[in-house]
Amino acid sequence: MEHLQYPIGRFTYGKTYSEIETQQSINELKDLVFFIKRVINKFKMEDFGKAYRDNGWTATQIINHLCDVYINAYIRTKWLLTESGSILKPYDQNAFSNLPDSFYENVDESVDLLDCLIKRWVYLLNRVERSNFQRKIYHPENKIYLTLDEMVAMYAWHGYHHLAHLKIINNIVMGVL
């Protein structure tokens, strides 16, 4: 079950990131929607209702979840950059994933929203001074401080983590699994 829930492994907190590694994470974020589109372009409408594992989210929920994730990532970055002692507000992702908009069926619009969010966030990340990447935000749920470097790496991982879920659904649809 672990390999289906975390197909690319779990994110490891506490690592220090170089400028080059952070730029790689930013570039991964920039390319994420391209890879999502490549996978879901193969889906038929009914495939969006399929899950990657028993009791897992459907493709539609995953895509709408990513919108929630990157809306929060963008705002959390702005808090980190503008507030002293900023605190990351946690939210219940499972509760969010069961709200009506998580089943919004116009996946193309959700992907467009995701694309715009990430582009706007990447624009910001590519224009802030490097020293800002050492600023920290407190994560009360995990009881840790995250630098912007680590936060960017975490969100890059998160996007590709869910891209792997979409690939699993695609494999199920194609009869590979």
Side-chain angles (χ1 to χ4, degrees):
M1 187 62 99
E2 178 83 5
H3 71 283
L4 291 176
Q5 192 170 4
Y6 294 97
I8 64 170
R10 292 179 183 259
F11 182 76
T12 304
Y13 291 97
K15 183 179 174 202
T16 302
Y17 294 87
S18 69
E19 184 174 356
I20 291 169
E21 289 170 315
T22 297
Q23 191 57 55
Q24 287 172 333
S25 293
I26 293 169
N27 290 339
E28 288 172 3
L29 287 166
K30 181 178 65 70
D31 295 338
L32 178 62
V33 174
F34 169 80
F35 291 116
I36 288 171
K37 286 179 180 179
R38 271 183 54 186
V39 172
I40 66 171
N41 281 341
K42 300 172 188 172
F43 284 19
K44 295 181 184 125
M45 205 52 205
E46 63 269 15
D47 298 336
F48 287 99
K50 294 189 166 104
Y52 60 96
R53 64 179 172 91
D54 288 340
N55 300 315
W57 291 341
T58 66
T60 298
Q61 285 176 292
I62 291 168
I63 291 164
N64 288 308
H65 164 72
L66 286 170
C67 291
D68 293 338
V69 166
Y70 290 107
I71 287 168
N72 279 286
Y74 182 62
I75 294 303
R76 289 169 173 174
T77 300
K78 288 182 154 248
W79 289 336
L80 182 146
L81 292 171
T82 61
E83 298 176 0
S84 178
S86 56
I87 298 173
L88 179 150
K89 182 186 180 322
Y91 62 98
D92 184 338
Q93 294 181 33
N94 287 318
F96 269 44
S97 75
N98 286 306
L99 290 172
D101 67 326
S102 293
F103 300 94
Y104 184 62
E105 293 178 350
N106 192 329
V107 175
D108 290 338
E109 285 182 0
S110 294
V111 172
D112 288 345
L113 172 60
L114 181 62
D115 192 32
C116 290
L117 281 166
I118 290 175
K119 283 178 181 172
R120 177 97 180 242
W121 190 37
V122 165
Y123 181 89
L124 172 63
L125 293 170
N126 280 326
R127 283 160 182 80
V128 296
E129 291 187 28
R130 177 67 193 145
S131 61
N132 285 310
F133 284 86
Q134 296 311 305
R135 291 180 62 110
K136 295 180 180 180
I137 190 167
Y138 184 66
H139 193 311
E141 194 174 55
N142 292 345
K143 296 181 179 22
I144 58 172
Y145 285 90
L146 297 172
T147 63
L148 184 53
D149 277 330
E150 187 170 23
M151 202 165 83
V152 169
M154 177 187 70
Y155 284 116
W157 169 87
H158 194 96
Y160 286 84
H161 161 75
H162 286 301
L163 174 63
H165 290 146
L166 293 171
K167 288 179 179 179
I168 291 168
I169 293 169
N170 184 59
N171 288 340
I172 291 168
V173 168
M174 301 301 289
V176 176
L177 291 179

